[in-house]
Amino acid sequence: MTLQPRAALPGNGTGSGTAQSNGAKLDRAIPEATVARLAVYLRVLGDLAATGSETVSSEDLAAAAGVNSAKLRKDLSYIGSNGTRGVGYEVARLVRQIEHILGLTQRHGVALVGVGNLGHALAGYSGFASRGFPLRALFDVDSDLLGIHINGILVEHADRIPEVCAERGVTIGVIATPGPAAQAVCDRLVAAGVRSILNFAPQVLQVPEEVEVRKVDLAVEMQILSFHVARRHGEGGQGGSGGVNGEAGAERPVVVPQ
Amino acid sequence: MTLQPRAALPGNGTGSGTAQSNGAKLDRAIPEATVARLAVYLRVLGDLAATGSETVSSEDLAAAAGVNSAKLRKDLSYIGSNGTRGVGYEVARLVRQIEHILGLTQRHGVALVGVGNLGHALAGYSGFASRGFPLRALFDVDSDLLGIHINGILVEHADRIPEVCAERGVTIGVIATPGPAAQAVCDRLVAAGVRSILNFAPQVLQVPEEVEVRKVDLAVEMQILSFHVARRHGEGGQGGSGGVNGEAGAERPVVVPQ
DNA sequence: TTCTGTGAAACCATTCACAGCC
DNA sequence: GGCTGTGAATGGTTTCACAGAA
């Protein structure tokens, strides 16, 4: 359902690879940055639909999504012309269009490795399944966790990743292990045929180029915020903080990365 | 154990509302993309230091961080010349340099709002404090949670955000509430003087431009991966998995059909 | 007239390639 | 010779600004 898109490939094929180069590149036309925003538009559109709106202008949708309207229109133009000049976009149609482009009309089996603190929370997050990403397997190596069920899913030993993932049609892997274990887990997922990984572990993963990895790193996010606090903000409120710029002077490193 | 996260990458997503007002551009501006990578280099350098390395070449450090060496050298050039030609970079010195730039030589008090599933996991993550981001306050509105302690921190009512944050010198706020509650929480944090926010709620936050918001959105990340699964992967043969790959359809439109 | 769709310009980030120091 | 630091080239993203459909 839901098909009827039309994708206008802009001008000439601008081939281009993904961030990571790729041997075989077809010309895909949707910029990576646009794909990320499409997911955001989708959520905002869902809210709009819930309030009964049937159409929305680029200006309003952009404001709700936190981007400017020219960017939004350009983004939508990559997935075809879906608006009506003088009127705006039909909410329901746009939702179908974006879901189609993002591949959300099919389900993607998910395996989560590492049922510790964070992993447990993620496994318990029901929004997963309801959004087309059914959790099909849980793995860990801790004997206290093996055998328990979370949200109805059995926690199995990480050694079984290859067979279980293949068996249950897992296409997306989520890694929530401690950093040191992440690479080995990743290797097993890749061996099992998984080509898309979401990594919460504080570890840079080395993968073959056909594997797509997205990273979510709390420490990095906090440090980026720290950078901004140190430079611009900080004087307004508290944080006295003594001089931060001195060039040579290192006070005392509070943080030592692992 | 295990948590920590963030994401970087190209544009990735998510950017967030952060309006990038550029008011003061006195110092040589360090590109946003570079800042995100500096945090990654910092972690890799920590690993290197732990193994006893005293110096490292741009080639090796880049490989470990998952970027190419030219990019790494360019990034490091923004924070000054710290290497020795013909030799490489002194690990300890580079660590200090990056910590200084990221503002990690000072501590940043953190308040976390929303102690549900995910929030609880984040609050229990001790790595927070040890990395220079002491957790100073926890908030929620659920009476079952008010009054309990997590990691020694009392959970207080969200109505107290303004006074408590001001009192304890909180400079960074972390929002882990359900989407609908996020904006109100954000407004209170801003009112309390917080200028840096890490948002885990599935909600676009509207903030004054002097406030920096970074977004971590599980649904968005999954959908981006979905796009790639739908587009590129899948045809490779598959997986060793014997495949039950069936699930719904195969899809293959690599380039959107029309 | 309103609002979309889109070339073209501006901007930012990445990669190249090599001069210069060790 | 090995490796950093960086101008120049390239490529991707955002913004501008306006033609054109409803």
Side-chain angles (χ1 to χ4, degrees):
Chain A
M1 25 206 75
T2 300
L3 9 150
Q4 54 177 293
R6 141 193 181 206
L9 298 187
N12 20 24
T14 336
S16 73
T18 313
Q20 313 247 346
S21 63
N22 210 326
K25 39 192 67 183
L26 341 164
D27 39 339
R28 104 163 89 117
I30 303 180
E32 193 60 33
T34 292
V35 173
R37 285 188 298 265
L38 287 175
V40 174
Y41 302 153
L42 187 56
R43 175 156 60 227
V44 173
L45 285 167
D47 293 344
L48 284 172
T51 69
S53 306
E54 293 190 358
T55 61
V56 62
S57 67
S58 63
E59 199 62 59
D60 292 349
L61 181 52
V67 303
N68 78 37
S69 66
K71 190 189 290 183
L72 179 133
R73 289 197 302 277
K74 179 73 88 175
D75 284 340
L76 296 184
S77 77
Y78 289 119
I79 64 172
S81 298
N82 296 288
T84 304
R85 296 177 192 227
V87 179
Y89 300 88
E90 190 201 323
V91 175
R93 175 157 193 270
L94 199 46
V95 165
R96 286 197 303 274
Q97 228 19 300
I98 295 176
E99 285 177 339
H100 179 258
I101 293 294
L102 295 182
L104 302 177
T105 53
Q106 69 175 292
R107 301 185 142 250
H108 301 278
V110 175
L112 189 156
V113 190
V115 191
N117 211 353
L118 176 63
H120 206 292
L122 294 175
Y125 173 56
S126 59
F128 250 138
S130 67
R131 285 166 182 267
F133 297 96
L135 187 56
R136 300 241 171 93
L138 290 174
F139 301 100
D140 207 302
V141 292
D142 183 340
S143 56
D144 287 346
L145 296 169
L146 298 177
I148 70 170
H149 288 75
I150 299 177
N151 249 12
I153 311 287
L154 174 68
V155 177
E156 299 174 79
H157 196 282
D159 288 340
R160 301 198 62 213
I161 289 175
E163 60 182 295
V164 173
C165 288
E167 210 171 273
R168 301 180 196 167
V170 167
T171 53
I172 296 179
V174 178
I175 298 176
T177 65
Q183 185 63 58
V185 162
C186 174
D187 293 343
R188 281 185 222 176
L189 287 170
V190 171
V194 172
R195 294 288 171 270
S196 293
I197 294 174
L198 180 54
N199 180 32
F200 285 87
Q203 171 77 27
V204 175
L205 298 177
Q206 306 292 335
V207 297
E209 61 183 324
E210 71 274 16
V211 177
E212 172 85 14
V213 176
R214 305 240 0 134
K215 182 175 68 164
V216 175
D217 190 322
L218 179 59
V220 170
E221 292 299 330
M222 295 298 286
Q223 291 172 1
I224 292 169
L225 288 175
S226 169
F227 170 81
H228 291 286
V229 169
R231 63 177 29 207
R232 185 161 48 240
H233 323 310
E235 69 288 326
Q238 342 226 343
S241 71
V244 174
N245 299 318
E247 184 47 336
E251 301 176 29
R252 87 156 199 251
V254 172
V255 174
V256 175
Q258 55 172 165
Chain B
M1 33 201 76
T2 298
L3 343 173
Q4 296 214 7
R6 170 313 177 219
L9 288 192
N12 169 345
T14 341
S16 81
T18 306
Q20 44 178 29
S21 51
N22 228 332
K25 46 186 83 196
L26 300 172
D27 324 16
R28 32 210 164 197
I30 298 180
E32 194 59 34
T34 291
V35 172
R37 285 189 298 266
L38 287 175
V40 174
Y41 302 153
L42 187 56
R43 176 156 58 227
V44 173
L45 285 166
D47 293 345
L48 284 172
T51 68
S53 306
E54 293 190 359
T55 62
V56 63
S57 67
S58 62
E59 199 63 60
D60 292 349
L61 181 52
V67 302
N68 78 35
S69 65
K71 191 188 289 183
L72 179 133
R73 288 197 302 277
K74 179 72 88 176
D75 284 340
L76 295 186
S77 77
Y78 289 117
I79 63 172
S81 298
N82 296 288
T84 304
R85 294 173 195 230
V87 179
Y89 300 88
E90 189 202 324
V91 175
R93 174 153 196 271
L94 200 47
V95 165
R96 285 197 304 275
Q97 211 50 276
I98 295 176
E99 285 178 340
H100 179 257
I101 293 293
L102 295 182
L104 302 177
T105 52
Q106 66 175 293
R107 302 185 145 251
H108 303 278
V110 175
L112 190 156
V113 190
V115 192
N117 213 355
L118 176 63
H120 207 290
L122 294 175
Y125 174 54
S126 60
F128 248 139
S130 67
R131 284 162 182 270
F133 298 96
L135 187 57
R136 300 238 172 96
L138 291 173
F139 301 98
D140 207 303
V141 293
D142 183 341
S143 57
D144 287 346
L145 296 168
L146 299 177
I148 69 170
H149 287 76
I150 299 176
N151 249 12
I153 311 287
L154 174 70
V155 177
E156 300 174 78
H157 195 282
D159 287 342
R160 301 199 60 213
I161 288 175
E163 60 182 295
V164 174
C165 287
E167 209 172 274
R168 302 182 196 167
V170 167
T171 53
I172 295 179
V174 178
I175 299 176
T177 66
Q183 185 63 58
V185 163
C186 174
D187 293 344
R188 280 185 224 176
L189 286 171
V190 171
V194 172
R195 294 288 172 270
S196 294
I197 293 175
L198 180 54
N199 180 33
F200 285 87
Q203 171 76 32
V204 176
L205 299 176
Q206 306 293 334
V207 296
E209 62 180 320
E210 71 274 16
V211 176
E212 171 84 14
V213 176
R214 303 239 6 133
K215 183 173 69 168
V216 174
D217 192 321
L218 180 59
V220 169
E221 294 298 328
M222 295 299 286
Q223 291 172 0
I224 293 170
L225 288 175
S226 169
F227 170 81
H228 291 286
V229 169
R231 228 189 99 264
R232 179 158 74 224
H233 321 312
E235 76 286 325
Q238 163 12 115
S241 26
V244 169
N245 208 345
E247 210 54 18
E251 68 139 51
R252 66 100 82 54
V254 171
V255 169
V256 188
Q258 34 191 343

